[in-house]
Amino acid sequence: MNARRTAAMLGLELYALMLACAQHVLIGLRSEEAMHLLGIFSAHPPLARFLLSLFDGWAYQEIFWRIVFATLLVQAVWLVLDLSRDLARSVRISVAVTWLFSVPVVLQAGTVTMTSLTAVQGLLFVWLLLSGRDVARYAWGIGLLWMASLFTAYQALLFAPVVWGALRSQDPAATPAQRRMRLGIWLVPMLLLGLFALTHPLALMDMVSQVTGRMDLLADRSRDAGRILLLGGSGILSVTGIIGLLLARRWVLLQSFLLIFAYIVVLGTDGDALLLLPLLIAGLSTLAHSWRWVAIATAVLVFVGSPVWCRSFFSSLPARRMDPASVLGVIGATDRSGVLLIAGPFGYEWQYASELPVRRYAARRLSEAAAVVCLQPCEEMERQERWERITKDPVEVWRPLR
């Protein structure tokens, strides 16, 4: 049995490596990922961002963390298997296949985002709630995990009902002092997060501005939220998972589901579909206790339909432009003084990959520039006598005449 489990873990790790490499090769570094890797301040709390930034400057930092994040999402399937441990083997495998090949896992595994971490943490909280074990005696451990989750991303707050359910479960004979202690373990991390948020008012203002800016488009946001809900469950799981949640009558699961969906309506993007997956899997696992054929049918449809969803996603992506590493290769290894000027909108991925300081293009800065990258037309550069264009496709790159 140990040999079989070891082989399964190695197979899962190979799958995680494939997903991480697919992100690296097909999509490349996103601006959000670069911001986390560099440790640049963002709206998220600092814990995970600080850990990521410890490896700043290491040549293999990006691919290392892609593999780590993909591994966490893929190996989390062992929690999924344990949720359905009292079911037939075919049903357990079906629920696990549904997790592994769901569209959010395929598209998000290997992305260096806080959503991936929050989804794994959310699945762990769901497991603590539904495991049937006496987890309440580990209340302080749950509290530490809850604290770490909240200081990884604000979205962890959406799982607050599940955490509270896990803390008060399995011990109906708890004394009033024990109940107060568990309530404190649940509340104190949220209060500390609130204090942290108050010390960073710009992040709060940014979130408020996003909410107010999108409320005028509530009809469009509702339509987008419906699409994200389908994406989170690869279509069929969105139906079977919700039915399972309703039949289970685990109100804390439903409360978290509604909180996540409300968040998606207001602020959600396609990446937030992953937050729904732990709850939908819990619903499917519950439903499989009554109708095991539903789990098998869901797994088959997810496995067959996932490539169609993913193909649609990748076909909607714009063609990849020259990435910063390629630009630096074109400029030349000896040009390492001055700054890199970029014309047009650009993200933190340029700052992450460039050894040169990155600045927005302005004609007055040409005297200090080692190169100019034109992500939009640079008509002024055509009139600069002391500059030469060294490439035009897919973007223009200029450098001073030697």
Side-chain angles (χ1 to χ4, degrees):
M1 180 61 70
N2 289 336
R4 182 181 297 179
R5 182 174 288 250
T6 301
M9 293 180 68
L10 291 175
L12 290 171
E13 190 58 32
L14 179 60
Y15 179 55
L17 286 171
M18 291 172 57
L19 294 177
C21 291
Q23 287 288 338
H24 184 69
V25 173
L26 297 178
I27 298 179
L29 189 67
R30 297 174 174 88
S31 180
E32 178 188 1
E33 294 175 315
M35 183 169 56
H36 296 323
L37 292 171
L38 290 168
I40 296 173
F41 175 79
S42 66
H44 291 292
L47 179 58
R49 187 165 25 99
F50 167 74
L51 295 176
L52 292 174
S53 68
L54 293 178
F55 291 80
D56 186 21
W58 183 34
Y60 302 101
Q61 180 197 23
E62 178 193 346
I63 189 62
F64 169 76
W65 284 116
R66 287 194 187 282
I67 293 171
V68 170
F69 278 51
T71 298
L72 288 173
L73 267 178
V74 171
Q75 296 290 352
V77 74
W78 296 105
L79 296 176
V80 175
L81 283 168
D82 193 70
L83 282 176
S84 53
R85 63 185 178 278
D86 55 342
L87 297 173
R89 185 169 181 268
S90 60
V91 178
R92 295 180 68 210
I93 293 175
S94 297
V95 178
V97 166
T98 302
W99 171 272
L100 290 172
F101 294 97
S102 63
V103 175
V105 168
V106 174
L107 293 181
Q108 288 287 99
T111 59
V112 189
T113 61
M114 299 302 104
T115 303
S116 298
L117 294 179
T118 303
V120 173
Q121 293 161 347
L123 178 63
L124 184 54
F125 289 133
V126 169
W127 175 80
L128 288 170
L129 174 68
L130 301 180
S131 66
R133 298 180 174 89
D134 184 12
V135 299
R137 61 179 179 171
Y138 304 111
W140 287 105
I142 297 174
L144 290 174
L145 176 62
W146 178 224
M147 176 83 77
S149 300
L150 290 175
F151 278 84
T152 295
Y154 285 113
Q155 286 87 339
L157 280 168
L158 303 172
F159 289 96
V162 178
V163 177
W164 175 239
L167 282 169
R168 69 177 184 177
S169 66
Q170 310 302 325
D171 192 6
T175 64
Q178 289 175 321
R179 293 194 184 98
R180 288 193 296 270
M181 179 195 71
R182 292 169 190 170
L183 180 62
I185 290 173
W186 182 65
L187 283 176
V188 168
M190 291 190 286
L191 293 175
L192 292 176
L193 182 66
L195 292 175
F196 169 81
L198 291 176
T199 62
H200 296 78
L202 292 179
L204 288 177
M205 291 174 61
D206 180 62
M207 286 188 286
V208 171
S209 64
Q210 289 188 51
V211 172
T212 56
R214 296 187 182 190
M215 290 306 290
D216 294 337
L217 305 174
L218 191 57
D220 294 336
R221 293 298 308 161
S222 299
R223 183 171 58 251
D224 290 342
R227 178 176 53 79
I228 295 172
L229 174 59
L230 290 175
L231 184 67
S234 308
I236 181 63
L237 179 60
S238 303
V239 177
T240 56
I242 291 174
I243 292 174
L245 289 176
L246 292 172
L247 292 180
R249 296 187 179 181
R250 290 274 189 165
W251 304 120
V252 291
L253 292 175
L254 285 170
Q255 289 165 13
S256 277
F257 181 85
L258 292 175
L259 284 174
I260 294 172
F261 186 73
Y263 167 79
I264 288 173
V265 170
V266 178
L267 289 174
T269 62
D270 286 355
D272 294 314
L274 187 59
L275 298 175
L276 294 166
L277 189 59
L279 298 170
L280 293 174
I281 284 290
L284 177 64
S285 179
T286 301
L287 191 61
H289 283 79
S290 301
W291 298 291
R292 67 178 185 177
W293 62 269
V294 172
I296 297 172
T298 299
V300 170
L301 291 175
V302 167
F303 183 80
V304 173
S306 187
V308 178
W309 284 85
C310 294
R311 181 180 179 183
S312 173
F313 172 81
F314 284 112
S315 64
S316 65
L317 291 175
R320 286 194 64 179
R321 290 182 163 182
M322 183 183 293
D323 59 25
S326 299
V327 171
L328 290 176
V330 170
I331 293 170
T334 59
D335 297 329
R336 290 293 181 261
S337 60
V339 298
L340 178 67
L341 299 182
I342 302 180
F346 63 93
Y348 288 104
E349 66 273 19
W350 290 89
Q351 182 176 342
Y352 176 80
S354 177
E355 296 179 17
L356 303 172
V358 177
R359 302 288 185 268
R360 190 172 299 279
Y361 171 81
R364 68 179 184 276
R365 293 176 173 164
L366 287 176
S367 61
E368 57 181 315
V372 175
V373 176
C374 298
L375 302 179
Q376 66 183 27
C378 297
E379 297 178 358
E380 291 184 5
M381 294 304 299
E382 299 282 353
R383 299 189 292 270
Q384 300 293 331
E385 297 180 355
R386 301 184 60 186
W387 284 78
E388 62 175 341
R389 181 168 55 199
I390 54 178
T391 184
K392 189 175 182 180
D393 185 33
V395 295
E396 290 186 17
V397 180
W398 298 75
R399 72 179 176 190
L401 289 171
R402 296 180 183 272

